[in-house]
Amino acid sequence: RDVKRGAMAGGSAAAAAADDYRTAGFIDTAARSDKATNPANERRKVIKTFVLLGDLVLAAALALRGPETARGAVVIANATVFVLRLWVQIWVFWERRVSWTEVLGEAFFIIPLSLGSLGWGASEARADDPFLAGESRHLDMVGQALFVVGTLLIAVYEGQRH
């Protein structure tokens, strides 16, 4: 639809298609390019902030329902860092419009699915499971290191872009 409109208005079809490019299923380039802030946008940011808090509670509730509370605590700590990083991005770094599609797709679907699956996995872990004993615990440390490095890289990139 936008490709046709751009071509009919004398613009190229490629340029019109580039304007409608989606970086993810719920975030489009037009929304990220729109720097306008208004009360409706601020309300969407507040809603996303509180939904992320709910996502964190979901992960914690799932992570703590099993016997492996140490693994659950790590999941909760990582989920907390993740949500805090998102809050900083939303309220400090983002100078763009937050669309309803982003709020619904990310905060109500992608993030609770991700954090919930981590919490569920932590709750299903058993200390006596041979896979979790001995050298396999090193995989936990590798995963933790990847999380920390990834979080730092994203934070630095967001700071530089800001």
Side-chain angles (χ1 to χ4, degrees), residues 32-33 35 69 98 102 107 111 120 124-125 138 145 150 162:
R32 287 192 168 211
S33 299
K35 305 299 183 197
T69 55
V98 176
E102 178 181 349
I111 293 174
W120 181 269
E124 292 297 307
H138 297 323
H162 182 67

Side-chain angles (χ1 to χ4, degrees), residues 22-147:
R22 292 186 174 275
T23 55
F26 46 84
I27 301 174
D28 60 52
T29 303
R32 287 192 168 211
S33 299
D34 186 354
K35 305 299 183 197
T37 63
N38 57 47
N41 190 59
E42 295 304 306
R43 282 191 298 274
R44 287 188 296 270
K45 288 166 75 173
V46 168
I47 290 168
K48 186 170 182 176
T49 298
F50 280 104
V51 173
L52 288 170
L53 178 61
D55 297 343
L56 180 58
V57 170
L58 170 70
L62 289 171
L64 292 177
R65 70 180 195 87
E68 182 66 25
T69 55
R71 182 172 288 229
V74 170
V75 166
I76 294 167
N78 288 345
T80 301
V81 168
F82 174 75
V83 169
L84 289 173
R85 181 182 57 81
L86 287 177
W87 285 348
V88 169
Q89 285 177 229
I90 291 167
W91 293 105
V92 177
F93 294 142
W94 286 0
E95 295 173 355
R96 65 173 177 87
R97 181 170 54 94
V98 176
S99 69
W100 275 116
T101 307
E102 178 181 349
V103 171
L104 297 174
E106 188 177 71
F108 277 105
F109 181 69
I110 300 294
I111 293 174
L113 183 66
S114 299
L115 295 181
S117 66
L118 290 172
W120 181 269
S123 73
E124 292 297 307
R126 302 285 184 258
D128 60 347
D129 186 337
F131 181 73
L132 297 177
E135 290 182 21
S136 294
R137 286 284 187 184
H138 297 323
L139 292 175
D140 287 345
M141 289 185 264
V142 169
Q144 188 62 39
L146 288 172
F147 173 79

